[in-house]
Amino acid sequence: VYASVDADESKDMGEGLLDGLFPDDDGSTLPNVSLSLLKHEEEEEEEEDLMGSSGMLILEAQSSSPIRSGNNTKVVVAGRKYDLCGSMYKRRGGFGRNKENNWVKRAFTLYNNILCYHEETHPEQITDPSKPRARLNLAKIETIAEMHSKHKQGLPTDHLLTINIYDPVIRNKRKWEMCCFSKEEQVMWYNAIRAHDGPPKGQQLSMGRLLSSTTLEEHEGSLSLQHPLLSSVNKKMIHRSPSMEQQQEDVLLTKAAEKAVEVWMEKENSMNKKEMSTSAMVLLFVTMNVALYVVRNGSEETFHTTLFFINAFVLYVVMERTGTKATSKQTNNGKGLKAKVAKKKKRVMEETDEITVAAMEIEKLHHVKVMPGSTMPRSNPVENSELDLKLQQCGANSAEALRAYAAAPTESIQVQPHSYVQTDATLFNLRVGPNYKRNKQKAPSAPALYDLYSMDFLYDSTPLKNVTDKFKIPSIPGITDVSTGHAHIPPMLVINTWLPGEEPSVFAKNTDGGDTYSIPMVFMLSKDTLEQLKDIDTASPGVKLLSEWCRRAETEPDFRGRFKCMGQIEDIESTSIPKFIHGYNGKPALVTKSGTFTRHENYIEFTINVNYWAFLARKGLHALMPYFHDFIFNIGFTIEARHDEEMPEVLLGGCRVMNLDPEKAAVDV
């Protein structure tokens, strides 16, 4: 709060003004407020321009609240003028960004277009304003301010403010992250910085700011996208409920704009990447040969041997890259899954322009999710068998049908191509005590702790990162709504496995996805497991180990790494599978770094990313793909027991997959 008073008046007038501003205040609500009178000094022309013949009365609060100027004046703090100043938490950059204490309180100042933060924590403490820790000229660089209201782990406050900075030279994006002390401060800083949003005058809008600069406009229940690039979407306005929250609208808009940018730049970027890759390979080849001749050391034999291996390595890399492109091109011309995806993208590009794709993405986000098991059929029971009669009475999706399928013997279910059913737990030999480390004894597993509800088989250019992105979580009265008696053990377990859809590389792991087969399986706690959980003290070792894994796996990577998966091909000797794979049939594999544990309200989702596995394992799985339709294989999961009190191991759940055809994987879901 500031006011002008005549410099010749006494300080009592200033104190009277303070009493007039806070007539009901006894001084207890503003303990850190001090009153100072800045008198006019003739020798300072800058001050004379600002105040003329009057002084400036300042309330200097030793708090973090920002001080803002009026319309035609500047705030004066400790004798210096600013448009806005105050304290905020600033996230450290560089190597300090990843440290434990990566948020530091700093003094921020805004004067015209210059935003600075200083080493000091309060503006009043700034000793040399000409030497800030960092300075940002908002008029000469492209920026966009964002205000966040969601709480994120690790933030000192809930009032996050970010400034996205787009460098036009190197086409790179960086950002400042600040945390304000209150919502009011956050809004004040946001409005002040946002006034400078956008590229400098005379420059075009960069693609990096497309998502942030797109705005949303509502018209009586309909939405239109306001942006130069997306303006034509207004011709096909997407109707939505007027009660939809702004947060949901922003999510839809961001995803749509992101897709528009991706489609718009896909052709140009792909061509540039190919040219750069080829040039980089040629440069690498020439550079390594020149280096070998220049730094020639050792004997003649050693030199020629080294030269041979290095050239062989470079040629291998070049052939691998060109071979992958050629294979991809041939596949796209064929009838495989990649051809389907490629034709789908090509059809979209030919029939619609880039902007229409953005509108289509918004419509796609509202598509009805399908039920688990809709992309791959469950095998039918043998006609007139006990299971068949039971399903006719209770229905295929009821709780009784789930339990009946789990208890049915293998011979009561038909062997149908490209179908699945619950596996027989006794097919898997698991650890038994005592002293397994010494005796190495294994025995057939007891009945599984979970019953299989569904299995799906999808193929896409990206993996299915969350099952709920495509599927509804099933709701079965008496199964999914029961209480297990333990908060950390939900009634459902979802295991989502990602298999590489591309030829694995020995030098690089495509851990982010790429062409991927996603195989989500939904399991329900068995009736026997629910009974044992009522008294955990008398439960079997397998149930106790499951309880410990559900409780500790989320926060303890070592315990989460006890999860094991097993694959067993039935009658492998009669198949055409290469002999070297026979020795790995039924062998368990620990899922350590490749496993991701996510807890939801009534289920646990465990994702297995095979792209993290060793090259030979990935290569073996990929080599098996052409043979899948020739055999029946069983997949099983368990938690590894390492002590006598945790044994015998028991199967968590499993699936019997019959003659899986990779070409029938669902593409459009």
Side-chain angles (χ1 to χ4, degrees), residues 257-521:
E258 182 180 7
K259 185 62 178 180
V261 175
E262 179 184 348
V263 174
W264 186 27
M265 301 185 69
E266 183 176 1
K267 290 185 177 179
E268 180 180 358
N269 286 349
S270 61
M271 182 61 66
N272 291 338
K273 288 180 180 178
K274 288 182 181 179
E275 293 177 356
M276 291 179 62
S277 299
T278 305
S279 301
M281 287 299 166
V282 173
L283 180 62
L284 176 64
F285 186 84
V286 174
T287 302
M288 293 184 68
N289 279 276
V290 171
L292 283 171
Y293 277 103
V294 172
V295 294
R296 180 175 179 177
N297 292 314
S299 64
E300 191 76 15
E301 183 180 359
T302 303
F303 168 75
H304 286 294
T305 303
T306 307
L307 181 65
F308 170 78
F309 280 110
I310 291 180
N311 279 275
F313 168 76
V314 174
L315 288 173
Y316 173 81
V317 174
V318 173
M319 291 175 63
E320 184 185 50
R321 296 181 65 89
T322 56
T324 301
K325 294 177 182 178
T327 302
S328 177
K329 184 176 181 180
Q330 292 174 1
T331 306
N332 288 339
N333 293 331
K335 298 182 179 181
L337 291 172
K338 291 186 179 181
K340 294 180 182 179
V341 176
K343 288 180 180 179
K344 177 184 174 183
K345 292 182 179 180
K346 183 178 180 181
R347 183 175 66 253
V348 170
M349 291 296 297
E350 291 177 349
E351 297 178 358
T352 63
D353 58 15
E354 295 85 348
I355 309 306
T356 309
V357 174
M360 292 172 60
E361 281 297 309
I362 297 181
E363 292 178 331
K364 185 178 179 180
L365 292 172
H366 290 281
H367 83 285
V368 179
K369 298 178 181 179
V370 299
M371 290 300 298
S374 59
T375 66
M376 188 170 177
R378 184 193 292 266
S379 183
N380 295 322
V382 176
E383 292 185 6
N384 298 324
S385 64
E386 184 178 349
L387 176 60
D388 187 32
L389 298 176
K390 182 70 174 179
L391 295 180
Q392 293 177 11
Q393 296 175 359
C394 61
N397 296 322
S398 62
E400 293 80 3
L402 176 66
R403 302 305 188 197
Y405 259 115
T410 303
E411 55 269 15
S412 64
I413 300 175
Q414 299 181 34
V415 177
Q416 297 175 321
H418 198 70
S419 65
Y420 72 93
V421 73
Q422 178 159 321
T423 189
D424 182 4
T426 59
L427 293 176
F428 295 93
N429 291 323
L430 304 180
R431 295 181 176 186
V432 296
N435 199 357
Y436 172 79
K437 290 183 178 180
R438 179 179 179 181
N439 299 325
K440 303 295 182 181
Q441 291 185 353
K442 292 186 176 183
S445 171
L449 302 182
Y450 286 88
D451 294 337
L452 177 66
Y453 174 80
S454 66
M455 169 186 166
D456 286 277
F457 189 46
L458 306 102
Y459 180 90
D460 206 342
S461 57
T462 57
L464 179 64
K465 295 186 177 180
N466 297 291
V467 173
T468 52
D469 291 344
K470 301 283 188 183
F471 302 97
K472 292 181 179 179
I473 297 301
S475 177
I476 305 176
I479 293 184
T480 60
D481 57 354
V482 298
S483 174
T484 63
H486 305 272
H488 57 279
I489 308 178
M492 286 186 290
L493 173 66
V494 178
I495 301 177
N496 185 14
T497 306
W498 301 349
L499 297 181
E502 300 175 333
E503 181 76 19
S505 172
V506 68
F507 298 107
K509 294 182 180 180
N510 188 10
T511 56
D512 292 333
D515 290 347
T516 305
Y517 293 96
S518 299
I519 310 176
M521 302 180 189

Side-chain angles (χ1 to χ4, degrees), residues 554-574:
E554 187 173 12
T555 57
E556 300 181 29
D558 291 340
F559 209 88
R560 180 172 64 245
R562 287 203 191 187
F563 192 94
K564 291 196 300 188
C565 62
M566 298 157 286
Q568 187 179 85
I569 300 174
E570 296 183 8
D571 196 16
I572 191 173
E573 298 295 336
S574 62

Side-chain angles (χ1 to χ4, degrees), residues 65-330:
S65 300
I67 306 175
R68 182 171 56 183
S69 66
N71 293 331
N72 300 317
T73 61
K74 302 289 184 183
V75 164
V76 179
V77 176
R80 303 179 183 91
K81 302 185 297 296
Y82 306 108
D83 291 312
L84 184 63
C85 62
S87 298
M88 290 185 287
Y89 285 104
K90 170 72 170 61
R91 187 173 184 182
R92 300 175 64 183
F95 292 107
R97 185 179 186 87
N98 299 319
K99 290 187 177 180
E100 184 175 356
N101 298 323
N102 58 350
W103 289 89
V104 182
K105 189 176 181 182
R106 302 290 189 193
F108 281 79
T109 60
L110 177 64
Y111 181 79
N112 291 335
N113 302 321
I114 307 300
L115 177 66
C116 303
Y117 72 89
H118 302 259
E119 191 73 31
E120 294 80 6
T121 59
H122 294 281
E124 298 87 349
Q125 301 172 351
I126 299 175
T127 57
D128 188 357
S130 65
K131 296 181 179 180
R133 187 175 180 89
R135 179 186 289 108
L136 184 62
N137 191 335
L138 301 175
K140 293 185 178 181
I141 194 167
E142 184 180 350
T143 60
I144 183 72
E146 294 180 348
M147 185 170 60
H148 308 270
S149 58
K150 282 187 176 182
H151 176 73
K152 295 183 179 180
Q153 187 176 3
L155 297 183
T157 71
D158 293 342
H159 312 292
L160 177 63
L161 182 69
T162 60
I163 305 176
N164 298 299
I165 307 164
Y166 302 92
D167 195 318
V169 179
I170 61 175
R171 298 184 179 181
N172 187 30
K173 172 187 171 183
R174 56 190 177 94
K175 63 181 178 180
W176 284 12
E177 295 177 282
M178 298 87 73
C179 276
C180 303
F181 288 86
S182 67
K183 183 67 176 179
E184 292 75 14
E185 297 177 23
Q186 184 188 29
V187 173
M188 188 183 302
W189 279 105
Y190 172 70
N191 290 332
I193 299 172
R194 187 183 61 172
H196 305 280
D197 275 4
K201 293 182 179 179
Q203 292 188 12
Q204 296 180 351
L205 182 67
S206 71
M207 293 307 302
R209 289 192 60 252
L210 175 64
L211 304 185
S212 301
S213 60
T214 308
T215 58
L216 187 70
E217 187 174 332
E218 289 188 346
H219 301 281
E220 299 181 356
S222 64
L223 286 178
S224 62
L225 304 178
Q226 303 295 327
H227 191 278
L229 181 62
L230 304 177
S231 58
S232 63
V233 180
N234 295 332
K235 299 177 182 178
K236 298 181 179 180
M237 295 167 64
I238 311 302
H239 292 277
R240 294 172 59 195
S241 170
S243 61
M244 192 69 104
E245 297 180 358
Q246 182 68 28
Q247 181 180 355
Q248 295 173 323
E249 297 168 349
D250 292 341
V251 171
L252 293 174
L253 182 63
T254 301
K255 290 185 177 180
E258 182 180 7
K259 185 62 178 180
V261 175
E262 179 184 348
V263 174
W264 186 27
M265 301 185 69
E266 183 176 1
K267 290 185 177 179
E268 180 180 358
N269 286 349
S270 61
M271 182 61 66
N272 291 338
K273 288 180 180 178
K274 288 182 181 179
E275 293 177 356
M276 291 179 62
S277 299
T278 305
S279 301
M281 287 299 166
V282 173
L283 180 62
L284 176 64
F285 186 84
V286 174
T287 302
M288 293 184 68
N289 279 276
V290 171
L292 283 171
Y293 277 103
V294 172
V295 294
R296 180 175 179 177
N297 292 314
S299 64
E300 191 76 15
E301 183 180 359
T302 303
F303 168 75
H304 286 294
T305 303
T306 307
L307 181 65
F308 170 78
F309 280 110
I310 291 180
N311 279 275
F313 168 76
V314 174
L315 288 173
Y316 173 81
V317 174
V318 173
M319 291 175 63
E320 184 185 50
R321 296 181 65 89
T322 56
T324 301
K325 294 177 182 178
T327 302
S328 177
K329 184 176 181 180
Q330 292 174 1

